[in-house]
Amino acid sequence: MAAPAEFIKFIDDNANKFIARLGEAVAIPSVSGNGAHRPDVFKMSAWLDGQLKSLGVTTSLVDLGKHVMDGEELPLPPAILGRIGDDPKKKTVLVYGHYDVQPAEKSDGWDTEPFKLVVDEKTGRLIGRGSTDDKGPILGWLNVLEAHKTLGLPLPVNLRFCFEGMEENGSEGLDDLIKSETARGNDGFFGGVDCVCISDNYWLNSRTPCITYGLRGLVYFKLTVSGPTRDLHSGVFGRMVHEPMTDLVLLMSKLVAPDGTILVPGVEDLVSAADEEERAIYEKLDYSVEDVNDAVGAPITLSDDKVTVIMGRMRMPSLSLHGIEGAFYGPGAKTVIPASVSGKFSIRIVPPQTPELIEPLVIQYVEQEFAKLNSKNKLKIENLHDGRPWVADYKHWNYEAARRATQAVYRRDPDLTREGGSIPVTLTFAESLGVNVLLLPMGRGDDGAHSTNEKLDRSNFIEGSKVLGTYLYEVGAIKA
Amino acid sequence: MAAPAEFIKFIDDNANKFIARLGEAVAIPSVSGNGAHRPDVFKMSAWLDGQLKSLGVTTSLVDLGKHVMDGEELPLPPAILGRIGDDPKKKTVLVYGHYDVQPAEKSDGWDTEPFKLVVDEKTGRLIGRGSTDDKGPILGWLNVLEAHKTLGLPLPVNLRFCFEGMEENGSEGLDDLIKSETARGNDGFFGGVDCVCISDNYWLNSRTPCITYGLRGLVYFKLTVSGPTRDLHSGVFGRMVHEPMTDLVLLMSKLVAPDGTILVPGVEDLVSAADEEERAIYEKLDYSVEDVNDAVGAPITLSDDKVTVIMGRMRMPSLSLHGIEGAFYGPGAKTVIPASVSGKFSIRIVPPQTPELIEPLVIQYVEQEFAKLNSKNKLKIENLHDGRPWVADYKHWNYEAARRATQAVYRRDPDLTREGGSIPVTLTFAESLGVNVLLLPMGRGDDGAHSTNEKLDRSNFIEGSKVLGTYLYEVGAIKA
């Protein structure tokens, strides 16, 4: 069901007002990863709570307790739980977003002040920290609410909001809240929710809207080889003792091949090949090898075949070597034999892989390979953290609704994507609530979410707000 | 020829006075590697110059110009060139030492103030920065001069002194001085020098005096693999692109085996096996696998055979992987694909290996191995710095003199050692002057030269001074 024309017109007519509100939100430096900004994160929660209340949403700010960061105990920003509409004949949509942002300093390389929204009239860009991640999308929902309130239109669905202030810093406290509320069943905050919509990711490119139905999981390993009790001088001890770096580098070299193949036996075998139907999704995507080369700045794709390259991100596991802790890392030349070195690597996993399946395969393999070295050094391997992958049923009505809304606003089919990264809360919602979860991004692939000069295109903000509203009408039109 | 009994007695009788003088020297924090201490290095040069003059040495302080350190232009401390004796019938011995020291702060973990010489009566240790490296040995020569001056004894040889103040910071300026003076032939400062004696290293252990006739050289490489123009997120780009870390780690794994064997073809082949005579030297050394284990704090020697282990340091090349610049090196978990990573490794080389022979072998091999990876990343390999190895003829009369002097004072045969590290000035003297160079250490292997709680044992200071003096008599007794 198409959204009413007056809703679409209201969004267009009030674009400048909406952008001004985005400016207010960006001006609050709600950086969750820096203790000095914690009061700003609270300020942002109060600002957002005020906005929601003024638009008719019943809210509660849930205290998530305290945490320790960089040795300092800090109060966690509250989760904002909001509800509007309780019509049992309507579907109930849960919306998630986060009101905290990544750190930003002008000196990082920003062309403008990061916490002052700059409207570039020439390019149509709204530049500022949080513009696309994730204040723009949250404000998209506010725009939808304001249109309905002002126009006196009933919302086509019941809405539930879950906005957090710690997403950029591990979402601390949120999982527990979701699980405890879910445990309360229909009496809990999430009782009656029919589907979830998360707008916290990006189009594949800067041209084509997308809908995302999968995320990779992760297992992050720390592989430590220790020998002497202190760093040694390579002149004095070179070729007298087993050097931990020699052992570690050899072990790390046996994890992944230059072509990206994971060498840990059993890991690749878990993943079945894409069938024709799935392959067709990747072939259809508006994406090219050139897009990847442009994004990374060099022609270094593992393959020249577009489908192989995009499947590498979306539906294949990957293993990356991140670095070594404990070795010499500075510029210049230092002739040290480091005493204890820890290789960091992680495996992005896809269904049916789980951390529980992957961890023992890696540990057993690394221990076997280490035994082959006949080294007198000591080996230790740890799983630093992990998360399961997530894939949703993209044929579910929730996705159909999003697809139709995108078609209605953008006049084109959205790309149907899986992402290579992780948004852990997605999995928590999917598993705790047992309902379909949809990722419906507002911004473009070049928004620079965690980078300098973060932006949201004006058209993405305005058309994106229309997509969110239209999506609600499409969900409302679903036969129960 | 034995030293006169009155010389030996004088050294014993004046031990406390000599230790007090060492205290004066240690009290001047002549740290060459810290610009703030540069005036102290100059102060130390003036102090030493005054001591030499008062003992009858004609000196000149040679201005070595300026250098830039940490962005600051600083005057280089002068080289002190001293001469005493010009009897054409006597041999002329050149003595080298350095009056600068390594940095030291009590907060580094010192038990006492580093720049206050503490005499531990219980252990006989003289504790303080520079006590063993290299103020103690320099003062050993002053003790010898004072004995002869006070007793009215003629020196058995002509002496030349070359003391520098930048040894702990690359000996800047000294090579040029040595080469320009040498170029002046007999008119230059080094004209007529018959042999060189350097006391700036250590016994193999804490029990047996030693004489050192070899040092390894070094070639230090930086191996860079570059891909994207910026660091990438492993979730987004993992298994889409060639990752520089994957390539680099694989290349580094092909350089050296866990048993210490250098895998670069041709490098090991250059070194011939030890013959019976040479092997006998290592077998005779007062050293055990346990000594190595104690020194490094863990039982990690590459072999359980003492001779194999000691030859690994003294007469075999070694390859150590020092670390990686540009990768993630901190604690915790970061899911980065580093854009450009540089592996640092160095090869300690022994005759007949030279940097000129080793560098092309390494570069060719690394390039060949990189080509096998079929990677689209870019490779670069650089030689950051190098130095040739040095081995002296230990049957030369200079060594015979040192051996007899050690036997006379310590009543035992010295260990005949080669060291695994490098003292570049040794090679410069050997090659520029074309005379035999001897390393005649004063301190013990556990002195902690560059570490906290640096010490020189009282007995090593006093008996060592006797060795230096006796050595001069033994040289003086050599038939021309």
Side-chain angles (χ1 to χ4, degrees):
Chain A
M1 189 177 110
E6 55 192 314
F7 163 71
I8 300 295
K9 185 171 184 306
F10 185 91
I11 298 290
D12 278 328
D13 290 348
N14 289 275
N16 288 339
K17 186 182 165 189
F18 296 156
I19 291 167
R21 178 158 57 197
L22 182 57
E24 279 182 49
V26 166
I28 303 171
S30 51
V31 179
S32 54
N34 179 342
H37 279 298
R38 189 55 54 91
D40 294 315
V41 188
F42 275 85
K43 188 176 167 189
M44 185 66 204
S45 72
W47 181 92
L48 180 55
D49 184 52
Q51 292 287 330
L52 288 164
K53 281 197 170 80
S54 74
L55 295 170
V57 180
T58 306
T59 64
S60 64
L61 270 59
V62 182
D63 182 356
L64 298 178
K66 292 175 191 300
H67 75 137
V68 175
M69 190 170 73
D70 301 330
E72 190 187 5
E73 192 183 61
L74 294 166
L76 287 164
I80 303 177
L81 300 182
R83 56 195 305 150
I84 182 167
D86 266 309
D87 186 340
K89 294 191 301 292
K90 290 181 180 172
K91 288 229 177 313
T92 299
V93 177
L94 171 65
V95 164
Y96 163 88
H98 66 89
Y99 60 82
D100 62 321
V101 296
Q102 282 278 317
E105 303 281 346
K106 182 134 197 294
S107 59
D108 295 342
W110 284 72
D111 296 327
T112 59
E113 285 298 333
F115 295 106
K116 182 180 180 319
L117 189 75
V118 172
V119 181
D120 186 328
E121 297 293 348
K122 221 155 94 183
T123 61
R125 290 180 166 191
L126 314 176
I127 303 156
R129 174 56 87 220
S131 55
T132 194
D133 183 19
D134 186 38
K135 290 177 175 176
I138 285 183
L139 268 66
W141 294 109
L142 297 185
N143 300 344
V144 172
L145 291 173
E146 183 169 338
H148 285 79
K149 182 167 191 286
T150 308
L151 298 171
L153 286 171
L155 283 163
V157 297
N158 305 314
L159 279 172
R160 300 290 177 269
F161 296 99
C162 175
F163 293 137
E164 67 157 323
M166 281 295 284
E167 197 273 344
E168 303 294 2
N169 199 8
S171 289
E172 259 187 275
L174 188 67
D175 267 25
D176 290 345
L177 173 66
I178 295 171
K179 283 169 190 164
S180 66
E181 284 297 323
T182 311
R184 293 174 55 219
N186 274 333
D187 295 336
F189 176 75
F190 300 113
V193 166
D194 293 299
C195 66
V196 180
C197 180
I198 296 176
S199 188
D200 186 23
N201 66 315
Y202 308 94
W203 299 356
L204 201 47
N205 50 46
S206 58
R207 303 175 297 266
T208 307
C210 83
I211 300 172
T212 302
Y213 71 102
L215 294 167
R216 290 196 286 195
L218 178 82
V219 196
Y220 199 110
F221 291 97
K222 178 180 180 181
L223 170 56
T224 303
V225 180
S226 305
T229 47
R230 58 183 175 86
D231 286 359
L232 303 177
H233 189 287
S234 69
V236 182
F237 291 102
R239 206 150 184 170
M240 289 192 111
V241 298
H242 287 279
E243 301 189 13
M245 268 295 277
T246 303
D247 297 348
L248 178 70
V249 164
L250 193 45
L251 291 178
M252 290 176 80
S253 78
K254 292 177 184 294
L255 297 170
V256 60
D259 68 0
T261 307
I262 297 174
L263 302 175
V264 180
V267 170
E268 299 258 350
D269 306 341
L270 288 165
V271 183
S272 55
D275 59 21
E276 283 307 302
E277 183 188 326
E278 188 187 348
R279 217 182 144 82
I281 294 176
Y282 302 115
E283 277 165 2
K284 217 181 127 192
L285 292 177
D286 177 17
Y287 208 64
S288 70
V289 166
E290 264 317 299
D291 284 332
V292 182
N293 291 341
D294 287 350
V296 304
I300 55 169
T301 52
L302 288 170
S303 163
D304 296 327
D305 171 51
K306 161 191 154 172
V307 173
T308 304
V309 170
I310 202 72
M311 292 202 326
R313 170 197 293 183
M314 293 192 176
R315 60 104 59 216
M316 294 293 284
S318 65
L319 192 155
S320 294
L321 308 176
H322 306 299
I324 296 174
E325 182 182 348
F328 171 52
Y329 60 83
K334 190 175 166 186
T335 53
V336 66
I337 298 174
S340 179
V341 284
S342 300
K344 309 285 181 74
F345 67 96
S346 66
I347 305 182
R348 300 275 169 181
I349 58 177
V350 295
Q353 295 173 327
T354 60
E356 293 71 27
L357 287 169
I358 296 299
E359 185 184 311
L361 290 174
V362 171
I363 291 177
Q364 188 189 13
Y365 174 65
V366 168
E367 286 176 348
Q368 275 172 3
E369 291 300 313
F370 182 69
K372 290 181 193 167
L373 307 188
N374 285 316
S375 171
K376 294 177 184 167
N377 291 322
K378 301 261 181 256
L379 175 79
K380 183 177 170 190
I381 178 159
E382 298 160 89
N383 170 350
L384 291 192
H385 68 85
D386 60 41
R388 285 189 295 286
W390 164 78
V391 173
D393 171 14
Y394 58 82
K395 294 177 184 170
H396 189 275
W397 54 256
N398 194 22
Y399 279 80
E400 286 301 322
R403 187 191 330 261
R404 281 197 294 271
T406 307
Q407 286 164 335
V409 173
Y410 283 106
R411 310 275 164 206
R412 58 191 300 183
D413 281 342
D415 276 338
L416 187 59
T417 67
R418 287 165 66 172
E419 291 218 345
S422 311
I423 310 175
V425 74
T426 310
L427 194 75
T428 309
F429 280 131
E431 295 189 342
S432 298
L433 276 64
V435 300
N436 184 276
V437 179
L438 161 76
L439 298 187
L440 183 56
M442 175 179 272
R444 302 180 184 182
D446 65 352
D447 280 357
H450 287 200
S451 187
T452 53
N453 301 319
E454 177 182 344
K455 59 88 181 172
L456 175 65
D457 290 86
R458 180 193 168 102
S459 67
N460 282 57
F461 187 44
I462 300 308
E463 302 308 305
S465 297
K466 294 178 192 170
V467 168
L468 296 181
T470 305
Y471 158 73
L472 299 182
Y473 281 92
E474 293 293 347
V475 169
I478 300 291
K479 302 285 176 271
Chain B
M1 191 176 107
E6 55 191 313
F7 163 72
I8 300 295
K9 183 170 186 305
F10 185 91
I11 299 290
D12 279 327
D13 290 348
N14 288 275
N16 288 339
K17 185 180 165 189
F18 295 155
I19 291 168
R21 179 158 56 196
L22 182 58
E24 279 182 49
V26 166
I28 304 171
S30 51
V31 179
S32 54
N34 180 340
H37 279 299
R38 190 55 53 91
D40 294 315
V41 188
F42 275 85
K43 188 176 166 189
M44 185 64 204
S45 71
W47 182 91
L48 180 55
D49 185 52
Q51 293 286 330
L52 289 164
K53 281 197 169 80
S54 74
L55 296 169
V57 180
T58 307
T59 64
S60 63
L61 271 60
V62 183
D63 182 356
L64 299 178
K66 293 174 191 297
H67 76 138
V68 175
M69 191 170 75
D70 300 331
E72 190 187 3
E73 193 184 59
L74 294 167
L76 287 164
I80 303 177
L81 299 182
R83 56 194 307 150
I84 182 167
D86 265 308
D87 185 340
K89 294 192 299 293
K90 290 180 180 172
K91 288 230 179 309
T92 300
V93 176
L94 171 65
V95 165
Y96 163 88
H98 65 91
Y99 60 83
D100 62 320
V101 296
Q102 282 277 317
E105 303 280 348
K106 182 132 198 296
S107 59
D108 295 342
W110 284 72
D111 296 327
T112 59
E113 285 298 332
F115 295 106
K116 183 181 179 317
L117 189 75
V118 172
V119 181
D120 186 327
E121 298 294 346
K122 220 155 96 183
T123 61
R125 291 181 166 191
L126 314 175
I127 303 156
R129 174 57 87 220
S131 55
T132 193
D133 183 17
D134 186 35
K135 290 177 176 176
I138 285 183
L139 268 65
W141 294 109
L142 298 185
N143 301 344
V144 172
L145 291 172
E146 184 169 339
H148 286 78
K149 183 167 190 287
T150 308
L151 299 171
L153 286 171
L155 284 162
V157 298
N158 306 313
L159 278 172
R160 299 289 177 269
F161 296 99
C162 176
F163 293 137
E164 66 158 324
M166 281 294 284
E167 198 272 348
E168 302 294 2
N169 199 7
S171 289
E172 258 189 274
L174 188 67
D175 267 24
D176 289 345
L177 173 66
I178 295 171
K179 284 170 189 162
S180 67
E181 284 297 322
T182 312
R184 292 174 56 219
N186 275 333
D187 294 335
F189 175 75
F190 301 112
V193 165
D194 293 299
C195 65
V196 181
C197 180
I198 298 176
S199 187
D200 185 23
N201 66 315
Y202 310 93
W203 297 357
L204 200 47
N205 50 45
S206 57
R207 303 176 295 266
T208 308
C210 83
I211 300 173
T212 302
Y213 71 102
L215 294 167
R216 290 196 286 194
L218 178 82
V219 196
Y220 199 111
F221 292 97
K222 178 180 180 182
L223 171 55
T224 303
V225 180
S226 305
T229 48
R230 59 184 173 85
D231 286 358
L232 304 176
H233 188 288
S234 69
V236 181
F237 291 102
R239 205 150 184 171
M240 288 192 109
V241 298
H242 288 278
E243 301 189 13
M245 268 294 278
T246 303
D247 297 348
L248 178 70
V249 165
L250 193 45
L251 292 177
M252 289 175 81
S253 78
K254 292 176 183 296
L255 297 170
V256 59
D259 68 1
T261 307
I262 298 174
L263 302 175
V264 180
V267 170
E268 300 258 350
D269 306 340
L270 288 166
V271 183
S272 55
D275 59 21
E276 282 309 302
E277 183 189 325
E278 189 187 347
R279 219 182 143 82
I281 294 176
Y282 302 114
E283 278 165 1
K284 219 181 126 192
L285 291 177
D286 177 16
Y287 207 64
S288 70
V289 166
E290 264 317 299
D291 284 333
V292 182
N293 290 341
D294 287 350
V296 304
I300 55 169
T301 52
L302 288 170
S303 165
D304 296 326
D305 171 51
K306 161 191 155 173
V307 174
T308 303
V309 170
I310 203 72
M311 291 201 326
R313 172 198 292 184
M314 293 192 176
R315 61 103 60 215
M316 293 294 285
S318 64
L319 192 155
S320 294
L321 307 175
H322 306 299
I324 296 175
E325 181 182 347
F328 171 52
Y329 60 83
K334 190 175 166 186
T335 53
V336 66
I337 297 174
S340 179
V341 283
S342 299
K344 310 285 181 72
F345 67 96
S346 65
I347 305 182
R348 300 275 169 179
I349 58 177
V350 295
Q353 296 173 328
T354 61
E356 294 70 27
L357 286 169
I358 295 301
E359 184 184 312
L361 290 175
V362 171
I363 291 177
Q364 188 189 14
Y365 173 66
V366 168
E367 286 176 347
Q368 274 172 3
E369 291 300 313
F370 182 70
K372 289 182 193 166
L373 308 188
N374 285 316
S375 171
K376 294 176 184 168
N377 291 321
K378 300 262 181 259
L379 175 79
K380 184 178 170 189
I381 177 160
E382 297 159 89
N383 169 351
L384 291 191
H385 68 83
D386 60 41
R388 286 188 294 285
W390 164 78
V391 172
D393 172 13
Y394 58 82
K395 295 177 183 170
H396 189 274
W397 53 256
N398 194 23
Y399 280 80
E400 286 302 322
R403 188 192 329 260
R404 280 197 293 270
T406 307
Q407 286 164 335
V409 173
Y410 283 106
R411 311 272 165 208
R412 61 192 298 186
D413 282 341
D415 276 337
L416 187 59
T417 68
R418 288 165 64 172
E419 291 219 345
S422 310
I423 309 176
V425 74
T426 310
L427 195 74
T428 309
F429 280 130
E431 294 189 342
S432 298
L433 276 64
V435 299
N436 184 276
V437 179
L438 160 77
L439 299 187
L440 183 57
M442 174 178 272
R444 301 182 185 182
D446 65 352
D447 279 357
H450 287 200
S451 187
T452 52
N453 302 319
E454 177 182 345
K455 59 88 181 170
L456 175 66
D457 291 85
R458 180 194 168 101
S459 66
N460 282 57
F461 187 43
I462 300 308
E463 301 308 305
S465 297
K466 295 178 192 170
V467 168
L468 297 180
T470 306
Y471 157 73
L472 299 183
Y473 281 91
E474 293 293 347
V475 170
I478 300 291
K479 302 285 175 272

